Every structure is written in C-alpha cells, then in structure tokens.
Amino acid sequence: MFPPHPTELLHVLLESEIVTGDFAIDATAGNGHDTVFLARAVGATGRVVAIDIQQQALASTAVRLESEGLRERVMLHCGCHSDLAEIAGSDRPRAIVFNLGYLPGGDHDLITQTENTLKALSAASDILMPRGVLAVVCYPGHIGGDEEAAAVEVFITSLKAQRTARYSMILRDKTTPFLLLSKKSG
Amino acid sequence: MFPPHPTELLHVLLESEIVTGDFAIDATAGNGHDTVFLARAVGATGRVVAIDIQQQALASTAVRLESEGLRERVMLHCGCHSDLAEIAGSDRPRAIVFNLGYLPGGDHDLITQTENTLKALSAASDILMPRGVLAVVCYPGHIGGDEEAAAVEVFITSLKAQRTARYSMILRDKTTPFLLLSKKSG
C-alpha cells in the first residue's frame, strides 16, 4: 500500500534498526501483528516480550506466532503495560512498540487509558538501551483516543531524544492513526 | 539515520513504486540528489526529466549524474517548474518529486515562489499517470517558506487522491522539513 499505513511504515523503518540477537518489547500485543514482526526481526537468538491486558489478545498472538514458527522467541505476559519495567526485567530492549486504542475485533470499551499509557511510555523510555527506539501508533477518533493521542504526542516530543519523527495518513475526517518514532540519545 | 530525514524516507518509499522503464520528473533538481535516485530507479530503459531555474543547479546535477553513470537517462531542463506540463510533453510520469526552498550552497534569496509552486503542483497532479505519485518536501523556517509550506499542504490535502500521507521530523524549533506523499486515484 502506498503511502503505507503507519503500522506498515513502522515495520519498514524498524527493520534496519533491530539486529539478530536483540531483545524487543511489544507493549500492546493486540492481535500479534507487531509481535510477529519483532519476533522475526530479532532472529533465532533474539527474544521478545509481548504484553496485553486481555487474555483474548494473547491467545490470538500465540496462534499467530505458532503458525509462523516464532512462538519460542516470545514470552507472552498478561498485565498492564504500565508495569513494563517490572515485566521486562534487567535486559535493555533495542525497541519498544505501542499500538494504542482497542483490540481489533475485541471489546471497544476496553481501550488503553491515558494515565497508564504515559506511565508505560515513561518506563519504556527509561529501560530502552542507548539509541534504542520507542515507537507508538496512536488512534485519535474513538472516545478517549483524541485525548490519549494528544498526551502521547506531548510526551514523546518532550523526551531528550536523538531524533523524533511523526508520520500520518491525511484523511478528510482527521481521525487517521499516526506514528511517533523516537530514537533515544546514545 | 533513524528516523530518516524526509528526503531519505521519500527514496525508501518511492523505490517500490517506480518500476524499470518508467518516466519520472524531478521538478526541482537542486544539487541532483533526487535526480540521481530517480535515474537509478527507472533503470536503463527508463527516463527522467530534471527541471531547475538555476543553471548552477543543473550543472551540479549533471556532474553528479556523470559520476554515477546515469547521465544518459536524464534530460536536464533550465526553466520554471510551473511550466512542468509543457516541459514533460505527452508522456505520463509515474512519479513527480519536488524539493522546495533554496539551493543548498546557492543563493538563499532565490527561493521557490508559492504561486509558481502551486501552479507546478497542479500541473503535476494533472499529468501524472493513474496511481502515480506526487511527492513534495517542504521547508518551513526560511522567509517565505512557512507560507509556501502551508499552501502546499492545503493544496495536496485538497487533491482527490487515493491516499495521502505526511511525515516530519519533530524538533523543538518547529522549522523542520516535512514530506507530503500523494498517490493519484486509479
């Protein structure tokens, strides 16, 4: 698809940052789309932690990973992404990916909460390795989504990052998702 | 560089749209950075028209093309990009690229003019082949650049495109360049 959806662009750009043997975190596993990408990117010697608050999401992610032969590289964790630092342990990840909003095909009332998201982003920024990548796909346009997207953008922009970028589709209704990418200082 | 500069991202994404044998236009040759990319992308059987109002720019572009062995694929045209349609002739280009602002290392008073730029963009949108790509890198932050960048964004957003996207670096001074990508309807 051209221009790519923000999640597609995320994969295209992260591909060249993650190297074999890396540790990466999918902070919002959802249906496992990003988890599968990360599991492939870190290679057979790398590992991924995928977090979701919904068992249903982790079950979908597990099925997807199995079918791709990637299940062994991923630890699935049911919990809130604001506990990211505790869940990750002492290893420093190369990349942490967030895909906010509700689970596609799931309960639309179960959305990421701004306060938890900011706590999770702050933890993510702390535990990333130097020059690690924090990537967030935001979904304004659902109830609570506008507020969360705006707060996330303010937060990411406030980080003392090496470089930060923003990518969005332009649609007339302005409820299009956007991607924020931030590379931690070295 | 991660995240990439808008001009880098443009190349990464256009790469998969342009196919061997295509016709492409660099509407603002400048120092030939995009011209070289396009000349490589269209392959030995493709062709590129590169336009610039400054002979100095075309001379730099020619040197760059020679050193890459790509000179034969490119017709250099000294003129205003607002005459794009006449310069292009009857062939329908797959991609038209604009890099606005002044010539790096050149006369900073010689900047692209908003009225001419809008005329050029309108012509570009008309002559592109169906599903062709219009790509514009805008440089707010110099005199006239803010106004031009804003006008270009309004114009691109108003096109009945298949898909449109915007990519920018986020910097505290907010004068960072941004990329607009628009795929024409099929």
Side-chain angles (χ1 to χ4, degrees), chain A residues 1-5 8-9 12-14 16-17 133 153 157-161 163-172 180-183, chain B residues 1-5 8-9 12-14 16-17 133 153 157-161 163-172 180-183:
Chain A
M1 208 144 47
F2 183 95
H5 187 277
E8 276 181 78
L9 183 70
V12 168
L13 297 181
L14 259 191
S16 55
E17 287 295 300
V133 174
E153 192 159 1
T157 314
S158 75
L159 290 174
K160 280 197 193 113
R163 288 167 78 87
T164 307
R166 183 188 198 280
Y167 174 80
S168 61
M169 305 303 298
I170 301 178
L171 298 176
R172 277 151 214 263
L180 296 167
L181 282 172
S182 177
K183 183 162 189 161
Chain B
M1 211 145 46
F2 184 94
H5 187 277
E8 277 180 79
L9 183 70
V12 168
L13 297 181
L14 258 191
S16 55
E17 288 294 302
V133 174
E153 193 160 0
T157 314
S158 76
L159 289 175
K160 282 198 191 110
R163 288 167 76 87
T164 307
R166 183 189 199 278
Y167 175 81
S168 61
M169 305 303 298
I170 301 179
L171 298 175
R172 279 151 214 264
L180 297 167
L181 283 172
S182 177
K183 183 162 189 160

Short mmCIF file of all heavy atoms in Angstrom, two decimals, chain A residues 1-5 8-9 12-14 16-17 133 153 157-161 163-172 180-183, chain B residues 1-5 8-9 12-14 16-17 133 153 157-161 163-172 180-183:
data_model
loop_
_atom_site.label_atom_id
_atom_site.label_comp_id
_atom_site.label_asym_id
_atom_site.label_seq_id
_atom_site.Cartn_x
_atom_site.Cartn_y
_atom_site.Cartn_z
N MET A 1 0.85 -1.19 0.00
CA MET A 1 0.00 0.00 0.00
C MET A 1 0.89 1.25 0.00
O MET A 1 1.90 1.28 0.71
CB MET A 1 -0.87 0.00 1.25
CG MET A 1 -2.14 0.73 1.04
SD MET A 1 -3.57 -0.01 1.90
CE MET A 1 -2.99 -0.32 3.55
N PHE A 2 0.54 2.24 -0.79
CA PHE A 2 1.35 3.46 -0.86
C PHE A 2 0.45 4.69 -0.80
O PHE A 2 -0.51 4.76 -1.54
CB PHE A 2 2.15 3.48 -2.17
CG PHE A 2 3.06 4.68 -2.24
CD1 PHE A 2 4.39 4.59 -1.87
CD2 PHE A 2 2.57 5.92 -2.68
CE1 PHE A 2 5.22 5.69 -1.93
CE2 PHE A 2 3.41 7.02 -2.73
CZ PHE A 2 4.72 6.91 -2.36
N PRO A 3 0.81 5.68 0.03
CA PRO A 3 1.81 5.59 1.10
C PRO A 3 1.37 4.57 2.14
O PRO A 3 0.17 4.35 2.30
CB PRO A 3 1.83 7.00 1.69
CG PRO A 3 1.03 7.88 0.78
CD PRO A 3 0.15 6.99 -0.02
N PRO A 4 2.31 3.95 2.86
CA PRO A 4 1.96 2.88 3.79
C PRO A 4 1.15 3.35 4.98
O PRO A 4 1.21 4.52 5.37
CB PRO A 4 3.32 2.36 4.26
CG PRO A 4 4.26 3.49 4.06
CD PRO A 4 3.76 4.25 2.86
N HIS A 5 0.38 2.41 5.56
CA HIS A 5 -0.27 2.67 6.85
C HIS A 5 0.83 2.88 7.90
O HIS A 5 1.92 2.31 7.77
CB HIS A 5 -1.12 1.45 7.20
CG HIS A 5 -1.97 1.64 8.42
ND1 HIS A 5 -1.48 1.47 9.69
CD2 HIS A 5 -3.26 2.02 8.57
CE1 HIS A 5 -2.44 1.72 10.57
NE2 HIS A 5 -3.53 2.06 9.91
N GLU A 8 2.59 -0.21 8.95
CA GLU A 8 3.48 -0.75 7.91
C GLU A 8 4.79 0.01 7.89
O GLU A 8 5.88 -0.57 7.79
CB GLU A 8 2.85 -0.55 6.53
CG GLU A 8 1.86 -1.57 6.07
CD GLU A 8 1.40 -1.18 4.66
OE1 GLU A 8 2.13 -1.42 3.69
OE2 GLU A 8 0.30 -0.59 4.55
N LEU A 9 4.69 1.35 7.97
CA LEU A 9 5.91 2.16 7.93
C LEU A 9 6.80 1.82 9.13
O LEU A 9 8.03 1.72 8.99
CB LEU A 9 5.59 3.66 7.93
CG LEU A 9 6.85 4.52 7.81
CD1 LEU A 9 7.47 4.41 6.42
CD2 LEU A 9 6.57 5.98 8.15
N VAL A 12 8.77 -1.19 8.23
CA VAL A 12 9.79 -0.88 7.22
C VAL A 12 11.00 -0.21 7.87
O VAL A 12 12.15 -0.56 7.60
CB VAL A 12 9.21 0.05 6.12
CG1 VAL A 12 10.32 0.60 5.23
CG2 VAL A 12 8.18 -0.70 5.29
N LEU A 13 10.74 0.75 8.76
CA LEU A 13 11.85 1.52 9.34
C LEU A 13 12.56 0.78 10.47
O LEU A 13 13.78 0.88 10.62
CB LEU A 13 11.35 2.89 9.82
CG LEU A 13 10.80 3.80 8.71
CD1 LEU A 13 10.37 5.14 9.30
CD2 LEU A 13 11.85 4.03 7.62
N LEU A 14 11.80 0.04 11.28
CA LEU A 14 12.42 -0.68 12.41
C LEU A 14 13.32 -1.81 11.92
O LEU A 14 14.30 -2.16 12.57
CB LEU A 14 11.34 -1.28 13.32
CG LEU A 14 11.02 -0.56 14.62
CD1 LEU A 14 10.15 -1.43 15.50
CD2 LEU A 14 12.28 -0.15 15.38
N SER A 16 15.62 -2.03 9.89
CA SER A 16 17.05 -1.77 9.78
C SER A 16 17.69 -1.36 11.11
O SER A 16 18.89 -1.16 11.20
CB SER A 16 17.30 -0.68 8.73
OG SER A 16 16.55 0.47 9.07
N GLU A 17 16.87 -1.24 12.15
CA GLU A 17 17.42 -0.88 13.47
C GLU A 17 17.65 -2.11 14.34
O GLU A 17 18.56 -2.16 15.15
CB GLU A 17 16.44 0.06 14.21
CG GLU A 17 16.40 1.46 13.66
CD GLU A 17 17.73 2.19 13.83
OE1 GLU A 17 18.19 2.35 14.98
OE2 GLU A 17 18.33 2.58 12.81
N VAL A 133 14.83 2.34 20.19
CA VAL A 133 13.71 3.02 19.52
C VAL A 133 12.40 2.83 20.28
O VAL A 133 12.03 1.71 20.62
CB VAL A 133 13.54 2.48 18.09
CG1 VAL A 133 12.29 3.07 17.44
CG2 VAL A 133 14.77 2.80 17.25
N GLU A 153 1.66 12.52 22.19
CA GLU A 153 2.50 13.35 21.32
C GLU A 153 3.30 14.36 22.15
O GLU A 153 4.49 14.57 21.91
CB GLU A 153 1.63 14.06 20.28
CG GLU A 153 2.46 14.69 19.19
CD GLU A 153 1.68 14.94 17.91
OE1 GLU A 153 0.46 14.65 17.86
OE2 GLU A 153 2.29 15.46 16.96
N THR A 157 7.39 14.22 22.39
CA THR A 157 8.11 15.41 21.95
C THR A 157 8.99 15.97 23.08
O THR A 157 9.98 16.65 22.82
CB THR A 157 7.10 16.48 21.48
OG1 THR A 157 6.14 15.86 20.65
CG2 THR A 157 7.78 17.59 20.72
N SER A 158 8.59 15.69 24.32
CA SER A 158 9.34 16.25 25.45
C SER A 158 10.59 15.43 25.78
O SER A 158 11.44 15.86 26.55
CB SER A 158 8.44 16.31 26.69
OG SER A 158 8.28 15.00 27.23
N LEU A 159 10.69 14.23 25.22
CA LEU A 159 11.85 13.38 25.51
C LEU A 159 13.13 14.00 24.95
O LEU A 159 13.12 14.58 23.88
CB LEU A 159 11.67 11.99 24.88
CG LEU A 159 10.61 11.08 25.50
CD1 LEU A 159 10.48 9.81 24.66
CD2 LEU A 159 10.97 10.74 26.94
N LYS A 160 14.21 13.82 25.67
CA LYS A 160 15.51 14.29 25.14
C LYS A 160 16.04 13.22 24.20
O LYS A 160 16.97 12.49 24.52
CB LYS A 160 16.49 14.54 26.27
CG LYS A 160 16.26 15.86 26.98
CD LYS A 160 17.46 16.26 27.80
CE LYS A 160 17.11 17.41 28.73
NZ LYS A 160 17.14 17.04 30.14
N ALA A 161 15.42 13.11 23.06
CA ALA A 161 15.77 12.05 22.12
C ALA A 161 16.83 12.51 21.15
O ALA A 161 17.07 13.70 21.00
CB ALA A 161 14.52 11.62 21.35
N ARG A 163 16.58 11.75 17.87
CA ARG A 163 15.73 12.18 16.76
C ARG A 163 14.31 11.69 16.99
O ARG A 163 14.11 10.58 17.48
CB ARG A 163 16.21 11.58 15.43
CG ARG A 163 17.48 12.17 14.89
CD ARG A 163 18.02 11.30 13.77
NE ARG A 163 17.30 11.49 12.52
CZ ARG A 163 17.61 12.42 11.63
NH1 ARG A 163 18.60 13.25 11.85
NH2 ARG A 163 16.92 12.54 10.50
N THR A 164 13.34 12.49 16.56
CA THR A 164 11.94 12.11 16.69
C THR A 164 11.22 12.44 15.38
O THR A 164 11.54 13.43 14.73
CB THR A 164 11.28 12.88 17.85
OG1 THR A 164 12.06 12.69 19.03
CG2 THR A 164 9.87 12.40 18.12
N ALA A 165 10.28 11.59 15.00
CA ALA A 165 9.54 11.86 13.77
C ALA A 165 8.07 11.48 13.94
O ALA A 165 7.71 10.72 14.84
CB ALA A 165 10.14 11.08 12.60
N ARG A 166 7.25 12.04 13.07
CA ARG A 166 5.81 11.79 13.11
C ARG A 166 5.33 11.51 11.69
O ARG A 166 5.67 12.23 10.75
CB ARG A 166 5.10 13.04 13.63
CG ARG A 166 3.60 12.90 13.78
CD ARG A 166 3.01 14.27 14.12
NE ARG A 166 1.69 14.19 14.69
CZ ARG A 166 0.57 14.03 13.99
NH1 ARG A 166 0.62 13.94 12.67
NH2 ARG A 166 -0.60 13.98 14.60
N TYR A 167 4.52 10.47 11.55
CA TYR A 167 4.00 10.09 10.24
C TYR A 167 2.50 9.86 10.35
O TYR A 167 2.04 9.14 11.24
CB TYR A 167 4.67 8.81 9.76
CG TYR A 167 4.11 8.24 8.48
CD1 TYR A 167 4.49 8.77 7.24
CD2 TYR A 167 3.21 7.20 8.49
CE1 TYR A 167 3.97 8.25 6.06
CE2 TYR A 167 2.69 6.67 7.31
CZ TYR A 167 3.08 7.21 6.10
OH TYR A 167 2.58 6.70 4.92
N SER A 168 1.75 10.44 9.45
CA SER A 168 0.30 10.22 9.48
C SER A 168 -0.27 10.13 8.08
O SER A 168 0.27 10.69 7.14
CB SER A 168 -0.40 11.38 10.21
OG SER A 168 -0.15 12.59 9.53
N MET A 169 -1.36 9.40 7.95
CA MET A 169 -2.15 9.48 6.74
C MET A 169 -2.94 10.78 6.86
O MET A 169 -3.28 11.21 7.97
CB MET A 169 -3.13 8.31 6.63
CG MET A 169 -2.52 6.93 6.74
SD MET A 169 -1.22 6.65 5.51
CE MET A 169 -2.16 6.82 3.98
N ILE A 170 -3.22 11.41 5.74
CA ILE A 170 -4.07 12.60 5.76
C ILE A 170 -5.44 12.20 5.22
O ILE A 170 -5.55 11.76 4.08
CB ILE A 170 -3.49 13.74 4.91
CG1 ILE A 170 -2.10 14.13 5.41
CG2 ILE A 170 -4.42 14.95 4.93
CD1 ILE A 170 -1.44 15.21 4.58
N LEU A 171 -6.43 12.30 6.07
CA LEU A 171 -7.79 12.00 5.64
C LEU A 171 -8.66 13.20 5.98
O LEU A 171 -8.35 13.98 6.87
CB LEU A 171 -8.34 10.76 6.35
CG LEU A 171 -7.59 9.45 6.10
CD1 LEU A 171 -8.17 8.35 6.94
CD2 LEU A 171 -7.66 9.07 4.62
N ARG A 172 -9.76 13.30 5.27
CA ARG A 172 -10.60 14.47 5.47
C ARG A 172 -11.25 14.50 6.84
O ARG A 172 -11.52 15.54 7.41
CB ARG A 172 -11.66 14.56 4.38
CG ARG A 172 -11.11 15.20 3.12
CD ARG A 172 -11.81 14.69 1.88
NE ARG A 172 -10.87 14.62 0.76
CZ ARG A 172 -10.74 15.56 -0.15
NH1 ARG A 172 -11.48 16.63 -0.11
NH2 ARG A 172 -9.87 15.44 -1.12
N LEU A 180 4.48 7.80 15.96
CA LEU A 180 5.56 8.61 16.52
C LEU A 180 6.77 7.69 16.71
O LEU A 180 6.63 6.59 17.25
CB LEU A 180 5.14 9.20 17.87
CG LEU A 180 3.98 10.18 17.82
CD1 LEU A 180 3.45 10.46 19.22
CD2 LEU A 180 4.39 11.48 17.13
N LEU A 181 7.92 8.15 16.25
CA LEU A 181 9.15 7.38 16.35
C LEU A 181 10.19 8.20 17.08
O LEU A 181 10.43 9.35 16.71
CB LEU A 181 9.70 7.11 14.95
CG LEU A 181 9.07 6.03 14.11
CD1 LEU A 181 9.65 6.10 12.71
CD2 LEU A 181 9.30 4.66 14.72
N SER A 182 10.82 7.62 18.08
CA SER A 182 11.81 8.38 18.82
C SER A 182 13.03 7.51 19.07
O SER A 182 12.91 6.38 19.54
CB SER A 182 11.19 8.83 20.15
OG SER A 182 12.14 9.51 20.91
N LYS A 183 14.19 8.02 18.72
CA LYS A 183 15.43 7.29 18.96
C LYS A 183 16.11 7.89 20.18
O LYS A 183 16.39 9.09 20.22
CB LYS A 183 16.35 7.38 17.74
CG LYS A 183 17.62 6.57 17.92
CD LYS A 183 18.29 6.31 16.59
CE LYS A 183 19.44 5.33 16.78
NZ LYS A 183 19.83 4.70 15.53
N MET B 1 20.30 6.86 8.99
CA MET B 1 19.78 7.75 10.03
C MET B 1 18.37 7.28 10.42
O MET B 1 17.57 6.95 9.56
CB MET B 1 19.72 9.17 9.50
CG MET B 1 19.93 10.17 10.59
SD MET B 1 20.84 11.65 10.10
CE MET B 1 20.11 12.15 8.56
N PHE B 2 18.11 7.27 11.72
CA PHE B 2 16.80 6.83 12.20
C PHE B 2 16.28 7.82 13.24
O PHE B 2 17.00 8.13 14.19
CB PHE B 2 16.90 5.44 12.82
CG PHE B 2 15.56 4.91 13.23
CD1 PHE B 2 14.82 4.10 12.40
CD2 PHE B 2 15.01 5.25 14.47
CE1 PHE B 2 13.57 3.64 12.77
CE2 PHE B 2 13.76 4.79 14.85
CZ PHE B 2 13.05 3.99 13.99
N PRO B 3 15.02 8.23 13.14
CA PRO B 3 14.17 8.08 11.95
C PRO B 3 14.78 8.86 10.79
O PRO B 3 15.47 9.86 11.01
CB PRO B 3 12.84 8.72 12.40
CG PRO B 3 12.92 8.92 13.88
CD PRO B 3 14.34 8.96 14.24
N PRO B 4 14.49 8.45 9.56
CA PRO B 4 15.13 9.08 8.40
C PRO B 4 14.69 10.52 8.18
O PRO B 4 13.61 10.92 8.60
CB PRO B 4 14.68 8.21 7.22
CG PRO B 4 13.41 7.58 7.67
CD PRO B 4 13.55 7.38 9.14
N HIS B 5 15.57 11.29 7.52
CA HIS B 5 15.19 12.63 7.03
C HIS B 5 14.07 12.45 6.00
O HIS B 5 14.02 11.42 5.31
CB HIS B 5 16.42 13.27 6.38
CG HIS B 5 16.21 14.70 5.99
ND1 HIS B 5 15.61 15.05 4.82
CD2 HIS B 5 16.51 15.85 6.63
CE1 HIS B 5 15.55 16.38 4.74
NE2 HIS B 5 16.09 16.88 5.84
N GLU B 8 15.16 11.14 2.71
CA GLU B 8 15.54 9.71 2.75
C GLU B 8 14.30 8.83 2.70
O GLU B 8 14.26 7.82 2.01
CB GLU B 8 16.25 9.38 4.07
CG GLU B 8 17.70 9.67 4.17
CD GLU B 8 18.17 9.25 5.56
OE1 GLU B 8 18.38 8.05 5.79
OE2 GLU B 8 18.29 10.14 6.43
N LEU B 9 13.30 9.21 3.50
CA LEU B 9 12.08 8.40 3.54
C LEU B 9 11.42 8.37 2.16
O LEU B 9 10.94 7.33 1.71
CB LEU B 9 11.08 8.93 4.57
CG LEU B 9 9.83 8.05 4.69
CD1 LEU B 9 10.15 6.71 5.33
CD2 LEU B 9 8.72 8.75 5.45
N VAL B 12 13.13 5.74 0.18
CA VAL B 12 12.78 4.39 0.67
C VAL B 12 11.40 3.98 0.14
O VAL B 12 11.21 2.86 -0.33
CB VAL B 12 12.79 4.35 2.21
CG1 VAL B 12 12.15 3.07 2.74
CG2 VAL B 12 14.20 4.50 2.74
N LEU B 13 10.44 4.91 0.21
CA LEU B 13 9.06 4.55 -0.17
C LEU B 13 8.83 4.55 -1.68
O LEU B 13 8.09 3.72 -2.20
CB LEU B 13 8.06 5.47 0.53
CG LEU B 13 8.06 5.39 2.06
CD1 LEU B 13 7.02 6.33 2.65
CD2 LEU B 13 7.81 3.97 2.54
N LEU B 14 9.46 5.49 -2.39
CA LEU B 14 9.26 5.55 -3.85
C LEU B 14 9.87 4.35 -4.56
O LEU B 14 9.39 3.92 -5.61
CB LEU B 14 9.90 6.83 -4.41
CG LEU B 14 9.00 7.98 -4.76
CD1 LEU B 14 9.76 9.03 -5.54
CD2 LEU B 14 7.76 7.55 -5.53
N SER B 16 9.71 1.30 -4.19
CA SER B 16 8.84 0.17 -4.52
C SER B 16 7.68 0.57 -5.44
O SER B 16 6.89 -0.28 -5.86
CB SER B 16 8.27 -0.45 -3.23
OG SER B 16 7.64 0.55 -2.48
N GLU B 17 7.57 1.85 -5.77
CA GLU B 17 6.51 2.30 -6.67
C GLU B 17 7.00 2.42 -8.11
O GLU B 17 6.26 2.19 -9.06
CB GLU B 17 5.98 3.67 -6.22
CG GLU B 17 5.14 3.62 -4.97
CD GLU B 17 3.84 2.85 -5.18
OE1 GLU B 17 3.06 3.24 -6.06
OE2 GLU B 17 3.63 1.86 -4.47
N VAL B 133 2.64 8.98 -8.32
CA VAL B 133 2.95 9.57 -7.01
C VAL B 133 3.45 11.00 -7.13
O VAL B 133 4.37 11.29 -7.91
CB VAL B 133 4.02 8.72 -6.28
CG1 VAL B 133 4.44 9.41 -4.98
CG2 VAL B 133 3.50 7.33 -6.00
N GLU B 153 0.57 22.27 1.65
CA GLU B 153 -0.15 21.26 2.43
C GLU B 153 -1.66 21.34 2.15
O GLU B 153 -2.31 20.31 1.98
CB GLU B 153 0.15 21.43 3.92
CG GLU B 153 -0.31 20.24 4.72
CD GLU B 153 0.38 20.11 6.08
OE1 GLU B 153 1.23 20.97 6.41
OE2 GLU B 153 0.04 19.16 6.80
N THR B 157 -3.67 18.29 0.29
CA THR B 157 -4.78 17.69 1.03
C THR B 157 -6.09 17.80 0.26
O THR B 157 -7.00 17.01 0.44
CB THR B 157 -4.92 18.39 2.40
OG1 THR B 157 -3.63 18.50 2.98
CG2 THR B 157 -5.80 17.61 3.34
N SER B 158 -6.17 18.82 -0.61
CA SER B 158 -7.42 19.04 -1.36
C SER B 158 -7.54 18.11 -2.57
O SER B 158 -8.60 18.00 -3.17
CB SER B 158 -7.50 20.49 -1.82
OG SER B 158 -6.63 20.68 -2.93
N LEU B 159 -6.45 17.47 -2.96
CA LEU B 159 -6.48 16.59 -4.14
C LEU B 159 -7.36 15.38 -3.88
O LEU B 159 -7.39 14.84 -2.78
CB LEU B 159 -5.06 16.10 -4.47
CG LEU B 159 -4.08 17.11 -5.04
CD1 LEU B 159 -2.70 16.47 -5.18
CD2 LEU B 159 -4.55 17.63 -6.38
N LYS B 160 -8.07 14.94 -4.91
CA LYS B 160 -8.86 13.71 -4.77
C LYS B 160 -7.93 12.53 -4.98
O LYS B 160 -7.95 11.86 -6.00
CB LYS B 160 -9.99 13.69 -5.80
CG LYS B 160 -11.16 14.57 -5.41
CD LYS B 160 -12.41 14.19 -6.19
CE LYS B 160 -13.48 15.25 -5.99
NZ LYS B 160 -13.74 16.02 -7.20
N ALA B 161 -7.07 12.31 -4.00
CA ALA B 161 -6.06 11.27 -4.13
C ALA B 161 -6.57 9.94 -3.60
O ALA B 161 -7.54 9.88 -2.86
CB ALA B 161 -4.80 11.68 -3.37
N ARG B 163 -4.56 7.99 -1.69
CA ARG B 163 -4.03 8.05 -0.33
C ARG B 163 -3.03 9.19 -0.23
O ARG B 163 -2.27 9.44 -1.17
CB ARG B 163 -3.28 6.76 0.03
CG ARG B 163 -4.16 5.55 0.25
CD ARG B 163 -3.33 4.29 0.28
NE ARG B 163 -2.62 4.13 1.55
CZ ARG B 163 -3.14 3.55 2.62
NH1 ARG B 163 -4.37 3.08 2.58
NH2 ARG B 163 -2.44 3.42 3.73
N THR B 164 -3.00 9.83 0.92
CA THR B 164 -2.06 10.92 1.15
C THR B 164 -1.44 10.75 2.53
O THR B 164 -2.11 10.30 3.46
CB THR B 164 -2.78 12.28 1.08
OG1 THR B 164 -3.49 12.35 -0.15
CG2 THR B 164 -1.81 13.45 1.16
N ALA B 165 -0.17 11.09 2.66
CA ALA B 165 0.48 10.96 3.97
C ALA B 165 1.44 12.13 4.20
O ALA B 165 1.84 12.82 3.26
CB ALA B 165 1.24 9.65 4.06
N ARG B 166 1.76 12.34 5.46
CA ARG B 166 2.65 13.43 5.85
C ARG B 166 3.67 12.89 6.84
O ARG B 166 3.31 12.19 7.79
CB ARG B 166 1.84 14.53 6.52
CG ARG B 166 2.63 15.75 6.93
CD ARG B 166 1.73 16.66 7.77
NE ARG B 166 2.22 18.02 7.84
CZ ARG B 166 3.17 18.44 8.67
NH1 ARG B 166 3.73 17.60 9.51
NH2 ARG B 166 3.54 19.70 8.68
N TYR B 167 4.93 13.23 6.63
CA TYR B 167 6.00 12.77 7.52
C TYR B 167 6.88 13.95 7.88
O TYR B 167 7.30 14.71 7.01
CB TYR B 167 6.83 11.71 6.79
CG TYR B 167 8.05 11.26 7.56
CD1 TYR B 167 7.94 10.32 8.58
CD2 TYR B 167 9.30 11.78 7.28
CE1 TYR B 167 9.06 9.90 9.29
CE2 TYR B 167 10.43 11.36 7.98
CZ TYR B 167 10.29 10.42 8.99
OH TYR B 167 11.40 10.00 9.70
N SER B 168 7.16 14.09 9.16
CA SER B 168 8.04 15.20 9.56
C SER B 168 8.94 14.78 10.70
O SER B 168 8.61 13.89 11.49
CB SER B 168 7.20 16.39 10.03
OG SER B 168 6.41 16.02 11.13
N MET B 169 10.09 15.39 10.79
CA MET B 169 10.90 15.29 11.98
C MET B 169 10.25 16.22 13.00
O MET B 169 9.65 17.23 12.63
CB MET B 169 12.33 15.77 11.74
CG MET B 169 13.05 15.10 10.59
SD MET B 169 13.12 13.30 10.76
CE MET B 169 14.07 13.14 12.28
N ILE B 170 10.34 15.87 14.27
CA ILE B 170 9.83 16.77 15.31
C ILE B 170 11.03 17.41 15.98
O ILE B 170 11.87 16.73 16.55
CB ILE B 170 9.00 16.00 16.36
CG1 ILE B 170 7.82 15.30 15.70
CG2 ILE B 170 8.50 16.95 17.44
CD1 ILE B 170 6.96 14.50 16.66
N LEU B 171 11.10 18.73 15.86
CA LEU B 171 12.18 19.46 16.52
C LEU B 171 11.55 20.56 17.35
O LEU B 171 10.44 21.00 17.08
CB LEU B 171 13.14 20.08 15.50
CG LEU B 171 13.87 19.11 14.58
CD1 LEU B 171 14.68 19.88 13.55
CD2 LEU B 171 14.77 18.19 15.38
N ARG B 172 12.28 20.98 18.36
CA ARG B 172 11.71 21.98 19.25
C ARG B 172 11.47 23.32 18.55
O ARG B 172 10.58 24.07 18.91
CB ARG B 172 12.60 22.16 20.48
CG ARG B 172 12.34 21.09 21.51
CD ARG B 172 13.57 20.80 22.34
NE ARG B 172 13.62 19.39 22.69
CZ ARG B 172 13.18 18.89 23.84
NH1 ARG B 172 12.70 19.68 24.74
NH2 ARG B 172 13.24 17.61 24.08
N LEU B 180 5.27 15.43 1.99
CA LEU B 180 3.89 15.09 1.65
C LEU B 180 3.91 14.10 0.50
O LEU B 180 4.63 14.31 -0.49
CB LEU B 180 3.10 16.34 1.24
CG LEU B 180 2.95 17.40 2.34
CD1 LEU B 180 2.44 18.71 1.73
CD2 LEU B 180 2.01 16.92 3.43
N LEU B 181 3.17 13.02 0.64
CA LEU B 181 3.12 11.97 -0.39
C LEU B 181 1.67 11.77 -0.79
O LEU B 181 0.82 11.57 0.06
CB LEU B 181 3.60 10.65 0.20
CG LEU B 181 5.08 10.42 0.38
CD1 LEU B 181 5.30 9.14 1.16
CD2 LEU B 181 5.79 10.36 -0.98
N SER B 182 1.41 11.79 -2.08
CA SER B 182 0.04 11.62 -2.52
C SER B 182 0.00 10.66 -3.71
O SER B 182 0.75 10.82 -4.69
CB SER B 182 -0.52 12.98 -2.93
OG SER B 182 -1.82 12.84 -3.42
N LYS B 183 -0.83 9.65 -3.60
CA LYS B 183 -0.98 8.70 -4.71
C LYS B 183 -2.26 9.03 -5.46
O LYS B 183 -3.35 9.07 -4.87
CB LYS B 183 -1.02 7.27 -4.17
CG LYS B 183 -1.10 6.24 -5.28
CD LYS B 183 -0.71 4.87 -4.81
CE LYS B 183 -0.59 3.92 -5.97
NZ LYS B 183 0.22 2.74 -5.65
#
